Amino acid sequence: MPKEIITVGFSEMLEDGLKELTNKMTWMTNHTMRICESMEELALFIDEAIKLGRCALDTETTGLNTRMKSIRDPRAPNGIRRESCAKLVSFCLCHSSNLGLYVPVGHQDGEELNLPLNKVLDQIERLCKNCITIYHNAKYDLAILKNYDIIVDRFDRIEDTEILSRLYDTGTKFVGLKPTAEKILGRKMLEIGDKIGRASCRER
């Protein structure tokens, strides 16, 4: 059985050791991934994505189980509340080749940086309804979005690089994001296992 994911907090992600690893990847030095610090910044980023017509979207979660579970809650109308087994930790967005936005919503370590989940979801829904969103393994991300009441049902507004990588090389068995990026773009990605230990993470 595969091991469970261990969530990494902001303090680990931002320490100097990670910067040293990214500096070894020459292509990363020309790209910026910044943390979203306000709802205004997120709204402007999504405005620009809608103007451009497309945006890559990745959900970061606490696990891989996309099912819903029932929880007893006396405040709920019938005493039962439904919620996603995998909780949202953040969104990663990218609308251009050299700029990405990391939107924290559910970090426990560094929770002061979290933006309000409901307001972020409103912006993500606006993005999904007004431009093409690009995923790698859209089945997972769309299931998570559905758990948070965002229904993406316009298939002309969805692209999946996992499916496209199969079409690019119909004989390949390896369609994960890392081998796809290296094969098609010539860009070797940072292995998170190098930072937190290979037994602590797995690629979906």
Side-chain angles (χ1 to χ4, degrees):
M1 293 290 291
K3 296 183 180 296
E4 288 294 317
I5 289 176
I6 296 176
T7 303
V8 181
F10 271 109
S11 62
E12 291 94 342
M13 288 295 287
L14 296 179
E15 57 188 35
D16 290 338
L18 187 63
K19 293 175 184 176
E20 289 177 12
L21 288 172
T22 57
N23 286 339
K24 293 178 182 178
M25 308 289 186
T26 54
W27 69 268
M28 286 188 178
T29 59
N30 297 321
H31 295 69
T32 301
M33 186 73 179
R34 67 173 185 251
I35 296 174
C36 184
E37 297 181 347
S38 69
M39 290 305 306
E40 291 77 16
E41 182 181 6
L42 177 59
L44 287 172
F45 189 92
I46 289 177
D47 286 344
E48 191 169 347
I50 292 171
K51 187 187 301 182
L52 292 169
R54 62 183 59 225
C55 184
L57 189 160
D58 184 41
T59 58
E60 302 298 335
T61 63
T62 58
L64 302 180
N65 188 347
T66 60
R67 295 181 179 178
M68 298 288 283
K69 61 182 177 181
S70 299
I71 296 183
R72 294 187 181 279
D73 184 350
R75 296 168 297 179
N78 58 358
I80 298 292
R81 172 169 50 87
R82 300 270 291 165
E83 66 177 40
S84 179
C85 290
K87 303 290 191 305
L88 276 169
V89 174
S90 61
F91 291 95
C92 295
L93 305 172
C94 183
H95 59 48
S96 62
S97 61
N98 61 356
L99 175 63
L101 196 66
Y102 183 85
V103 188
V105 293
H107 275 265
Q108 294 180 349
D109 180 10
E111 61 182 347
E112 70 278 1
L113 297 175
N114 289 334
L115 296 180
L117 177 59
N118 289 340
K119 291 183 179 180
V120 170
L121 289 172
D122 287 343
Q123 290 296 325
I124 296 298
E125 184 172 30
R126 182 168 73 90
L127 174 74
C128 294
K129 289 185 174 179
N130 290 284
C131 77
I132 294 171
T133 44
I134 306 164
Y135 309 85
H136 193 83
N137 186 14
K139 181 179 179 181
Y140 177 84
D141 295 292
L142 294 177
I144 292 296
L145 291 176
K146 183 178 179 182
N147 290 350
Y148 285 85
D149 298 322
I150 297 177
I151 309 297
V152 184
D153 54 4
R154 285 279 306 274
F155 296 112
D156 60 333
R157 299 267 175 93
I158 298 170
E159 290 184 4
D160 189 340
T161 54
E162 184 173 89
I163 294 173
L164 292 172
S165 66
R166 287 192 184 276
L167 297 174
Y168 178 84
D169 183 357
T170 55
T172 187
K173 295 181 179 179
F174 305 103
V175 292
L177 190 56
K178 291 181 180 69
T180 299
E182 189 165 3
K183 181 195 304 181
I184 298 177
L185 302 177
R187 291 176 175 174
K188 186 174 176 58
M189 292 176 61
L190 178 68
E191 293 283 351
I192 194 169
D194 291 341
K195 181 60 182 168
I196 64 173
R198 296 190 180 280
S200 302
C201 59
R202 78 182 233 237
E203 181 180 340
R204 58 174 167 81

